Amino acid sequence: MWNNFWNIIWLMFWAFALISYLFALFAIIGDLFRDRELNGWWKALWIIFLIFLPFLTALVYLIARGRGMAERQSRDVQQAQQQADDYIRQTAASSSPADDIAKAKQLLDQGVISAGEFDALKAKALGHKF
């Protein structure tokens, strides 16, 4: 029974090591293609080394370029956050249906649009299909 238990523990250890390596490998490959300063030949060379000497190359890459990986990741996260904030600000700044109807009513009162156009704008503001 104990022999089988330790085999399971050993299997779990190697499964954890393999999954950890795959996470590191995908992070390295993602970083290679995200890096705009590294030219294509260097990227190809890193990939070739990752294929033929995977563990050693991954370790060397993380030691040599780890700081740059962190900086690129941080920059991308900040850029994504800025885009999300801009989208939220833009969406929040859009007018409500009541505001759209009030503007259309002003245009109708000024004679800029007809009653039919006002009805169409009102239906659009309320989300009705026409």
Side-chain angles (χ1 to χ4, degrees):
M1 174 173 162
W2 287 107
N3 189 28
N4 193 21
F5 173 75
W6 289 112
N7 285 340
I8 292 171
I9 296 296
W10 191 245
L11 179 67
M12 289 174 55
F13 169 76
W14 283 110
F16 175 78
L18 176 67
I19 291 170
S20 299
Y21 170 71
L22 289 176
F23 270 103
L25 183 68
F26 290 130
I28 289 169
I29 291 172
D31 183 64
L32 275 172
F33 289 105
R34 186 182 319 126
D35 189 4
R36 294 183 182 132
E37 296 173 5
L38 197 64
N39 70 25
W41 292 107
W42 282 108
K43 291 177 184 181
L45 190 64
W46 276 110
I47 296 292
I48 289 170
F49 276 109
L50 278 171
I51 292 170
F52 292 111
L53 297 170
F55 295 110
L56 181 63
T57 305
L59 185 62
V60 169
Y61 188 90
L62 291 174
I63 292 170
R65 297 180 48 91
R67 180 177 298 212
M69 276 179 82
E71 290 171 356
R72 284 184 288 281
Q73 179 68 24
S74 176
R75 182 189 66 223
D76 290 347
V77 167
Q78 287 176 350
Q79 188 178 28
Q81 183 65 42
Q82 181 65 36
Q83 289 174 349
D85 291 345
D86 291 344
Y87 174 75
I88 290 169
R89 257 186 242 103
Q90 177 187 6
T91 303
S94 66
S95 60
S96 68
D99 292 338
D100 291 341
I101 293 171
K103 289 176 188 174
K105 179 66 173 157
Q106 284 179 343
L107 293 174
L108 177 66
D109 292 342
Q110 293 172 355
V112 176
I113 60 173
S114 67
E117 291 170 325
F118 171 74
D119 292 336
L121 289 172
K122 182 177 168 183
K124 183 178 178 185
L126 295 174
H128 297 135
K129 303 265 186 207
F130 56 97

